Amino acid sequence: MTPDTLDQLIAGTFPNPDGTGTVGVTTRSLKIAPSLAGMELDLVKPLGFGRALAVVSDQTTHDVLGARVVAALAGSFDVRDVVLPTGPYPDDETVEVVRQATKSADAVIAVGSGVINDICKYATALDGKPYAVFATAPSMNGYTSVNAAITEHGHKKSLAAQAPVGAFFDLQILAASPARMIRSGLGDSLCRTTSQADWLLAHLLFDQPYRNLPYVLLSEDESPLFESADALMAGDIAAMERLVRTLVLSGFGTAIYGTSAPASQGEHLISHYIDMLGPDRPMVFHGEQVGVTTLTMVRLQEKMLETTPVVRADQETLETFTARYGAELAQSCWDDFSKKRVAAADVDALNHRIAQRWDGVRDRVSDILLKSSYLEKVLRTAGNPMKPGEIHVARDFYDQAIVRSREIRNRYTFLDLAAGTGELQGLAAAL
């Protein structure tokens, strides 16, 4: 019988595809099962958390699962039931609210999905406390990562946090979650191909660090998941397990590497820009949005691979950033962007490097890039949003996000390459 990848990671025995030896994760306990009802205490007790626990949920996730977890733990632990208002926002203010509410706890149990998990993993990392998570929706890949998407002073960032000691997934609960949240998880999974292409580009052009491991972890589950998009949306438990495995393994890939780089590149930059600077709009789940931005990125990547690019010096300055974003946000963005900015003194050397390496770049990126037509089919089958208007973003602002999103983080992607050639502005509306 072939060893299971998840079991090997928990045990620290997964063969390292990037070198010798084995790799593992800091998460000590993982359970994915058709139902976890009646198992909550048995899952938490071995974690060695101490007696005082804070169970953090919002009103919705409390009704779905949080109350059940609290009741199961109450007889053996001193439990504080912390229930946030429905739809909490993952920013520094909410993190502080949770830190104060869990001040007397030895450990925290998060019950929720992306926002609750990110808030708890970041708050507990700041306070030096362990945490575990009971998932309520398969909506994103951050459950087992070591980063949290938190907005600080208006700037959405991926901040260093910690992985959960235990992560628990009740497939019946997840399958009963809103269809949009299931579509969100599928959309978040779709970006493996574009994020890998962007990361590989930076590696091949600039010799930046790169690892195959995050993508080897996903290799067995990705294709069967995408091929079962219709079954997933019909409530099939086996398809839901495949989605959960994909999300968990993606999170583990970033946890092992130490940053979100393997799973968050140009497609996430566009999404973050929309979240940071877009107008008020109806609520959109992260993965719904990432599915749309992933289509944009794969089309851009396909276009840029057609010819050998020639770049020019970047004309952006702190002054242009300040005029665009205001002093505080401009400085925060510039601190990141300036590290990858192509200065006039570096242009000739970069163009020489591109000319020498581009055939190899094209071949290697093409090998791992799923076709835009295939990604469109997967999203269409599941009923996911595919166009900016379907995520309540006006086309002109979406084009602005494509052009400007590279300015908010130090990650060199195909967005930067297209901007360097002068093509990004003209291509935006066609993507």
Side-chain angles (χ1 to χ4, degrees):
M1 183 176 178
T2 304
D4 182 76
T5 299
L6 287 170
D7 291 340
Q8 288 180 299
L9 288 171
I10 297 295
T13 60
F14 188 81
N16 183 3
D18 296 302
T20 59
T22 59
V23 295
V25 293
T26 58
T27 297
R28 301 201 313 267
S29 179
L30 178 75
K31 187 71 173 179
I32 303 171
S35 175
L36 298 181
M39 300 172 60
E40 297 87 358
L41 180 60
D42 291 336
L43 291 171
V44 173
K45 254 189 173 181
L47 302 180
F49 275 171
R51 184 163 182 81
L53 299 182
V55 177
V56 179
S57 59
D58 68 14
Q59 189 58 62
T60 298
T61 64
H62 185 267
D63 294 344
V64 169
L65 183 57
R68 192 178 96 188
V69 172
V70 169
L73 301 180
S76 300
F77 296 93
D78 295 329
V79 179
R80 179 168 186 187
D81 192 6
V82 179
V83 183
L84 302 175
T86 296
Y89 189 71
D91 59 9
D92 39 9
E93 292 183 5
T94 309
V95 168
E96 190 58 32
V97 168
V98 169
R99 292 181 71 188
Q100 291 301 315
T102 61
K103 200 170 186 178
S104 61
D106 298 317
V108 171
I109 309 293
V111 182
S113 55
V115 171
I116 293 293
N117 185 60
D118 275 359
I119 291 169
C120 289
K121 72 162 56 179
Y122 186 57
T124 55
L126 292 176
D127 292 336
K129 296 177 180 180
Y131 95 104
V133 58
F134 282 83
T136 58
S139 53
M140 49 84 225
N141 65 1
Y143 282 114
T144 54
S145 73
V146 294
N147 301 92
I150 302 293
T151 298
E152 286 190 322
H153 308 297
H155 189 180
K156 188 168 185 177
K157 299 179 180 180
S158 180
L159 300 176
Q162 64 176 339
V165 178
F168 311 119
F169 301 86
D170 184 317
L171 295 175
Q172 290 182 2
I173 292 285
L174 302 185
S177 61
R180 286 182 60 192
M181 299 191 82
I182 299 172
R183 293 187 182 107
S184 178
L186 182 65
D188 210 17
S189 300
L190 216 69
C191 75
R192 187 282 307 165
T193 184
T194 53
S195 57
Q196 185 177 5
D198 279 338
W199 201 26
L200 189 56
L201 174 74
H203 170 65
L204 296 174
L205 286 188
F206 299 102
D207 302 315
Q208 293 184 10
Y210 174 84
R211 293 187 70 175
N212 291 302
L213 171 68
Y215 310 115
V216 172
L217 295 179
L218 294 167
S219 59
E220 292 184 8
D221 290 285
E222 180 182 86
S223 180
L225 169 64
F226 292 167
E227 291 300 318
S228 61
D230 52 350
L232 176 70
M233 299 313 303
D236 184 82
I237 293 296
M240 178 57 67
E241 182 175 7
R242 189 75 73 177
L243 174 59
V244 171
R245 286 178 59 87
T246 299
L247 296 173
V248 169
L249 286 165
S250 178
F252 278 152
T254 65
I256 293 168
Y257 182 68
T259 78
S260 62
S264 174
Q265 295 283 340
E267 73 294 321
H268 275 74
L269 294 181
I270 300 171
S271 179
H272 291 337
Y273 186 97
I274 293 169
D275 291 340
M276 286 169 53
L277 298 167
D280 290 338
R281 57 188 171 129
M283 189 272 297
V284 173
F285 290 110
H286 170 76
E288 290 181 305
Q289 188 158 286
V290 168
V292 175
T293 61
T294 294
L295 289 184
T296 295
M297 279 306 302
V298 73
R299 291 165 184 155
L300 176 63
Q301 290 163 344
E302 289 172 339
K303 182 67 177 178
M304 295 305 296
L305 291 174
E306 291 176 359
T307 58
T308 303
V310 177
V311 302
R312 57 198 182 192
D314 203 303
Q315 300 302 306
E316 295 297 340
T317 65
L318 177 57
E319 289 70 28
T320 63
F321 270 40
T322 301
R324 191 173 297 139
Y325 301 121
E328 184 176 8
L329 183 56
Q331 187 64 61
S332 179
C333 291
W334 182 256
D335 289 344
D336 261 4
F337 179 79
S338 60
K339 295 181 179 71
K340 66 174 180 178
R341 178 177 177 271
V342 178
D346 301 321
V347 168
D348 289 345
L350 177 55
N351 280 321
H352 178 72
R353 192 181 308 128
I354 291 172
Q356 294 292 314
R357 300 183 182 185
W358 194 250
D359 286 345
V361 171
R362 181 189 294 113
D363 290 345
R364 288 193 60 184
V365 172
S366 296
D367 282 345
I368 56 90
L369 194 63
L370 297 176
K371 293 183 180 299
S372 58
S373 57
Y374 178 70
L375 299 186
E376 290 166 6
K377 177 185 174 183
V378 174
L379 291 177
R380 188 178 301 110
T381 298
N384 278 55
M386 297 175 63
K387 298 178 180 179
E390 294 171 346
I391 54 171
H392 309 289
V393 177
R395 184 71 227 195
D396 58 347
F397 179 76
Y398 190 79
D399 292 349
Q400 177 183 319
I402 295 171
V403 172
R404 297 298 179 196
S405 58
R406 71 189 188 97
E407 298 171 354
I408 65 176
R409 189 168 295 175
N410 179 24
R411 286 188 182 164
Y412 190 93
T413 73
F414 275 89
L415 293 168
D416 295 285
L417 185 65
T421 65
E423 297 179 67
L424 186 57
Q425 183 86 47
L427 285 173
L431 299 173

